[in-house]
Amino acid sequence: MERRKKGSNSTVVVGLDVGTTKICAIVGEITGGGIDILAVSAYPSNGLKKGVVIDIEATAHSIRKAIAGVSEDTGLEITEVYVGIAGSHIKSFNSSGAVGIKGREVTHEDVERAIDSASAVYIPLDREILHVLPTEFILDGQDGIKDPVGMAGVRLEVKVYIVTGAVTSVQNLLKCCERAGLEVIDIVLQPLASSHAVLTPYEREMGIVLVDIGGGTTDIALYRDEWLRHTAVLGIGGNHFTNDVSIGLKLPFPEAERVKKKYGSVLPSGTAEDDGRAEVDVVAIDGQVRGIPRKYITEILHPRGEELLDLVKQEVRAIQQSGIAVSGVVLTGGASLLSGFDRMAEAILGLPVRIGYPDRSPRTPAGNGYSLSRTEMQQVNGLKSEYNSPMYATAIGLVLYGAESVDPVEEKFLSSDLFNRIVNTMTGWFKKIVSSKQ
Ligand SMILES: Nc1ncnc2c1ncn2[C@@H]1O[C@H](COP(=O)(O)OP(=O)(O)OP(=O)(O)O)[C@@H](O)[C@H]1O
Ligand SMILES: [Mg+2]
C-alpha cells in the first residue's frame, strides 16, 4: 500500500500516535504564532503488543474512534495523518557519502546528492528505510559543519543515521490507517516525534538521552549536536509495573492500574505522616474492599523501576563509551509519571533528569536543571492542561514534525531553521525514490 511521503501544504496537521495503551489523534493548525492545537482525542488501544500492531481490525477501530473525536470537535473531515512508529523491529545504523563540488558554493541540490550517496547502502528486502538523518557535514576535511549550503569547497561529505523498520510492521500500521480511511503522509519514528515536543534546541545540541516510557516499551533516543544519533528499544513499559501490582496484590489489571497511578511510588515515602504504613483501600477480584499498607505497593514497584533504570544505564554507558558526552536525561511517556521515578533515575543514572512535558510554559512543573525556554521552538498554543502530559508528547511531536514538513513554498511562518526544512524535504525526497524502486 502507498503512502504519500511528501510534505503536505495544508495549514492543518494531524498527528496520530498509535500506542500500546491508547491511540491519540491531535489536530494542529499552523499560524503566525506557532501551532494552535484545535482538538485532541484519545481512545483505548487493544491491538498492539510492545508497540507493534498484532490485531489490525482492533487497531483500525481505535484509530477510527480517535479520529472521529477530533473530526467532531473541529468539524473537519480528517483524511491525512502523520503516524508514529516504534517497536523492537526498528534498527538503525550510520552511513556516509560524498560528492564533488568543484570549488563553487554548495547548493541544496549538492546536499541532496551527498545524502543520496550516503543512503545508497544495502538494505535487506524485509526492511524499509524510515528516516535518513544527517548527523554531520564535512567540507574539504573541515568537520562539524551543520549547514554547508553557501560555503565554497571541492568535496562535500555527509554522515547520516539511517532508521529502518521491518516491512511487515510498517505495512500493518499502514493497513490499520487505510482501514480507518486515512492516508499516511509520513511515518515518523516515535522518539523522533517526541523530541520535537519536549526537547529544546539547546538540549538537542548538548547531548540528551530521551527516554519515552510508554505502556509496552521504553524507547531511548540520544540527541547530540542537534541530531538524533542513537536509538534503542527496551521491552519494559508501564504495563509491566501494573502487571507486577496485579500479581503481587492479586488484583484485576484495571484495579492494579488505578492503584499504581493513585498510590504507587518507586521510592519509600520519607514523611512522618505517610511512612508507607498507612493503609489504602483496594478492590480484590471477589469485589471485596481490603486495606493494605501502602508500602506493599512501593515494595512491588521499586525493583521493576530499578530493573528498567539499570537497562537505561547500560544504554547510557554504551553511548558514553562510544565517546559521546551525555549531559542529562529527559523522561517522557505516561509511565514517567510514576511517583519518584525521576528521583530514582537521577540516583541510578548519576545525571540530571527532568520529566518532559509537551507545553513548558511557566505553569508546568519544572523538574531540575534545564532551561525551559521555548525560544527557537515552535510555540504550542491552546493545549488544554489535561493533555499537557508526557503521555501526549509523541502525538504533539507528530503535529510539530508535520508542521516542519509543510511545503517550503507555502511555508512562511515557522521558526524551525532552514536546515531542518532542507532535511525534511530531503527525507521525503529520498523516500520517494525508495518507494518508486519497490
Ligand atoms: N500518573 C501515572 N502514574 C504512573 N503511571 C502512569 C500514570 N499515567 C499513565 N501511566 C502509565 O503510562 C503508561 C501509558 O503511557 P503512554 O500513554 O505513553 O503509552 P503508549 O504510548 O500507549 O504505549 P507505547 O508507547 O509503549 O506503545 C501506562 O502503563 C500507564 O499506567
Ligand atoms: Mg507511546
Side-chain angles (χ1 to χ4, degrees):
M1 106 162 247
E2 271 303 303
R3 81 184 112 121
R4 193 137 61 85
K5 298 175 184 166
K6 66 179 170 68
S8 165
N9 55 18
S10 164
T11 57
V12 170
V13 179
V14 183
L16 182 68
D17 175 19
V18 181
T20 308
T21 65
K22 52 109 185 45
I23 290 183
C24 177
I26 299 191
V27 180
E29 185 175 23
I30 304 166
T31 67
I35 309 295
D36 281 0
I37 301 298
L38 302 183
V40 181
S41 170
Y43 196 81
S45 168
N46 298 310
L48 274 86
K49 197 171 178 196
K50 295 196 175 237
V52 172
V53 174
I54 54 161
D55 183 334
I56 289 178
E57 198 37 61
T59 306
H61 173 75
S62 300
I63 293 175
R64 267 185 232 113
K65 291 285 187 184
I67 293 290
V70 285
S71 278
E72 208 168 285
D73 288 353
T74 57
L76 295 170
E77 191 196 350
I78 311 284
T79 54
E80 296 179 342
V81 293
Y82 287 83
V83 71
I85 193 162
S88 54
H89 65 99
I90 301 290
K91 301 269 181 280
S92 308
F93 58 90
N94 293 303
S95 177
S96 60
V99 289
I101 305 295
K102 297 179 184 155
R104 54 174 173 73
E105 281 188 7
V106 177
T107 62
H108 290 173
E109 288 70 33
D110 295 325
V111 172
E112 289 180 10
R113 284 195 301 124
I115 294 178
D116 184 27
S117 82
S119 316
V121 287
Y122 170 73
I123 307 283
L125 283 177
D126 61 351
R127 304 206 68 76
E128 178 172 345
I129 291 180
L130 298 169
H131 298 285
V132 181
L133 304 164
T135 57
E136 181 185 12
F137 288 94
I138 303 160
L139 193 57
D140 295 344
Q142 173 65 56
D143 59 7
I145 297 171
K146 285 183 190 149
D147 185 357
V149 173
M151 296 173 77
V154 176
R155 179 183 156 86
L156 176 67
E157 293 170 62
V158 62
K159 292 186 178 171
V160 296
Y161 187 63
I162 298 182
V163 181
T164 71
V167 169
T168 46
S169 301
V170 174
Q171 291 300 315
N172 286 340
L173 181 60
L174 289 172
K175 265 188 204 158
C176 296
C177 295
E178 190 184 49
R179 283 215 195 160
L182 298 170
E183 188 182 352
V184 173
I185 300 172
D186 208 351
I187 296 187
V188 186
L189 185 70
Q190 285 181 16
L192 180 63
S194 306
S195 77
H196 284 249
V198 303
L199 297 187
T200 63
Y202 177 61
E203 286 172 336
R204 286 202 250 181
E205 179 81 41
M206 67 199 248
I208 286 287
V209 175
L210 180 69
V211 181
D212 181 338
I213 317 167
T217 57
T218 294
D219 299 324
I220 294 185
L222 165 75
Y223 286 83
R224 176 86 211 180
D225 299 332
E226 283 186 30
W227 298 105
L228 179 64
R229 301 291 184 121
H230 172 82
T231 56
V233 179
L234 306 176
I236 298 180
N239 281 348
H240 293 79
F241 289 82
T242 309
N243 261 329
D244 292 348
V245 173
S246 171
I247 291 165
L249 298 180
K250 300 185 180 56
L251 300 177
F253 191 90
E255 175 63 357
E257 177 78 2
R258 184 190 73 86
V259 167
K260 176 187 83 169
K261 287 187 192 167
K262 186 152 186 206
Y263 307 116
S265 170
V266 287
L267 295 175
S269 169
T271 64
E273 313 85 73
D274 179 9
D275 59 2
R277 272 183 291 229
E279 294 211 336
V280 297
D281 284 345
V282 299
V283 185
I285 268 162
D286 57 7
Q288 296 287 317
V289 177
R290 286 189 293 144
I292 55 147
R294 195 168 180 165
K295 69 173 182 187
Y296 284 8
I297 308 168
T298 303
E299 283 166 6
I300 291 169
L301 295 173
H302 180 82
R304 184 63 88 173
E306 237 176 15
E307 182 194 5
L308 175 54
L309 286 167
D310 280 342
L311 292 172
V312 174
K313 189 177 180 177
Q314 283 174 27
E315 285 293 330
V316 172
R317 279 267 160 81
I319 290 165
Q320 288 167 326
Q321 279 164 7
S322 73
I324 299 177
V326 177
S327 311
V329 173
V330 174
L331 304 175
T332 192
S336 67
L337 291 170
L338 188 58
S339 175
F341 201 80
D342 48 349
R343 278 165 58 203
M344 191 185 194
E346 218 158 42
I348 290 182
L349 302 175
L351 288 163
V353 173
R354 75 167 173 90
I355 297 181
Y357 285 77
D359 178 0
R360 280 161 292 140
S361 52
R363 67 177 181 279
T364 302
N368 32 22
Y370 292 95
S371 154
L372 300 183
S373 157
R374 246 187 197 279
T375 321
E376 295 179 63
M377 294 179 81
Q378 293 177 54
Q379 195 66 43
V380 176
N381 306 309
L383 184 66
K384 286 186 188 154
S385 59
E386 64 189 290
Y387 296 117
N388 182 23
S389 156
M391 280 174 69
Y392 300 102
T394 303
I396 290 166
L398 284 166
V399 173
L400 296 174
Y401 179 96
E404 283 187 4
S405 307
V406 161
D407 191 333
V409 178
E410 294 285 314
E411 183 192 3
K412 24 185 158 6
F413 21 61
L414 294 181
S415 59
S416 66
D417 66 289
L418 173 69
F419 190 53
N420 264 340
R421 298 205 294 269
I422 295 166
V423 170
N424 281 327
T425 312
M426 291 287 318
T427 311
W429 165 84
F430 175 74
K431 285 185 194 160
K432 221 157 37 187
I433 291 178
V434 171
S435 78
S436 67
K437 283 182 185 159
Q438 283 170 353

